[in-house]
């Protein structure tokens, strides 16, 4: 019957029957025939209340959502992959910024210690016991961290010893 209708409309025999038989039960096409039956039920009936009919149309649309096509599914997969790559990039960028910030804080702390030691060494009046202990602690910290030349330069200002 359907072949006769197609032949009468197009004057050509239906040649893609093998493809239709293969694909007619796919998810995308299985919902197509059932939606034709529901079109009349989506229309608003005059004897129903208007508030109830508007909510029923929305519910039917949610229940019978059209399945995602092949191209849309592939695009969605690519977007997820790109999003994960962007996430990895942003995470790596954040980690590098964090490492730079940690190094910066360490250098600032060391610079503050140098300034404190410089101010203690530059004092002309005698130092209290607390200041002497702090000065000695700062000197040993700098010597242990490999800042020998910094300590030597600071101490040479006070003629503790002469640099040859």
């Amino acid at each position: 019957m359907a072949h006769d209708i197609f032949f009468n409309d197009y004057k050509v025999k239906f040649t893609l029957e093998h493809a239709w038989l293969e694909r007619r039960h796919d998810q995308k096409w299985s919902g197509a025939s059932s939606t034709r039956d529901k079109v009349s039920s989506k229309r608003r009936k005059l004897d129903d209340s208007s508030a109830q009919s508007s909510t029923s149309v929305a519910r039917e649309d949610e229940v019978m959502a059209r399945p995602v096509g092949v191209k849309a599914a592939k695009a969605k997969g690519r977007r997820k992959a790109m999003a994960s790559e962007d996430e990895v990039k942003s995470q790596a960028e954040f980690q590098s910024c964090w490492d730079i910030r940690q190094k910066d804080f360490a250098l600032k702390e060391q610079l503050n210690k140098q300034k404190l030691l410089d101010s203690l060494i530059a004092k002309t009046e005698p130092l209290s016991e607390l200041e002497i202990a702090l000065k000695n602690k700062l000197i040993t910290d700098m010597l242990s961290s490999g800042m020998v030349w910094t300590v030597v330069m600071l101490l040479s200002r006070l003629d503790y010893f002469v640099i040859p």
Side-chain angles (χ1 to χ4, degrees):
M1 178 80 177
H3 293 293
D4 295 334
I5 295 171
F6 185 84
F7 183 74
N8 288 337
D9 289 346
Y10 296 105
K11 307 293 185 222
V12 177
K13 186 178 177 184
F14 184 67
T15 57
L16 298 174
E17 186 170 359
H18 65 284
W20 173 245
L21 292 175
E22 190 70 28
R23 298 287 179 195
R24 68 180 171 180
H25 297 297
D26 285 354
Q27 180 185 11
K28 185 172 184 177
W29 303 112
S30 64
S33 62
S34 63
T35 55
R36 275 189 252 137
D37 300 335
K38 293 183 180 181
V39 170
S40 62
S41 67
K42 285 185 181 179
R43 292 189 182 150
R44 198 166 113 187
K45 295 188 171 75
L46 295 175
D47 47 313
D48 288 345
S49 65
S50 63
Q52 187 238 349
S53 64
S54 65
T55 57
S56 66
V57 171
R59 286 189 191 133
E60 287 177 9
D61 287 340
E62 290 173 7
V63 171
M64 193 58 193
R66 184 175 174 177
V68 178
V70 174
K71 290 181 180 179
K74 285 181 181 179
K76 186 177 180 182
R78 284 189 211 119
R79 273 186 262 131
K80 284 183 181 178
M82 292 175 83
S84 65
E85 288 176 10
D86 291 342
E87 185 177 317
V88 168
K89 285 180 184 177
S90 65
Q91 201 171 28
E93 185 178 320
F94 175 75
Q95 186 64 37
S96 66
C97 288
W98 181 257
D99 292 340
I100 290 171
R101 196 150 209 198
Q102 292 294 86
K103 289 177 186 176
D104 189 41
F105 283 140
L107 289 174
K108 283 182 180 180
E109 183 181 350
Q110 206 146 14
L111 188 60
N112 287 338
K113 285 182 180 181
Q114 285 178 1
K115 287 179 181 178
L116 182 61
L117 181 62
D118 191 30
S119 66
L120 287 174
I121 291 173
K123 273 193 172 180
T124 55
E125 64 263 2
L127 301 174
S128 66
E129 290 180 23
L130 184 63
E131 291 173 332
I132 292 172
L134 178 63
K135 180 181 78 169
N136 291 336
K137 181 182 180 300
L138 289 173
I139 289 173
T140 55
D141 285 347
M142 285 187 183
L143 288 174
S144 66
S145 67
M147 298 183 60
V148 176
W149 286 108
T150 306
V151 174
V152 169
M153 296 306 284
L154 287 173
L155 294 177
S156 67
R157 291 184 188 169
L158 289 177
D159 298 331
Y160 267 39
F161 55 89
V162 178
I163 301 174

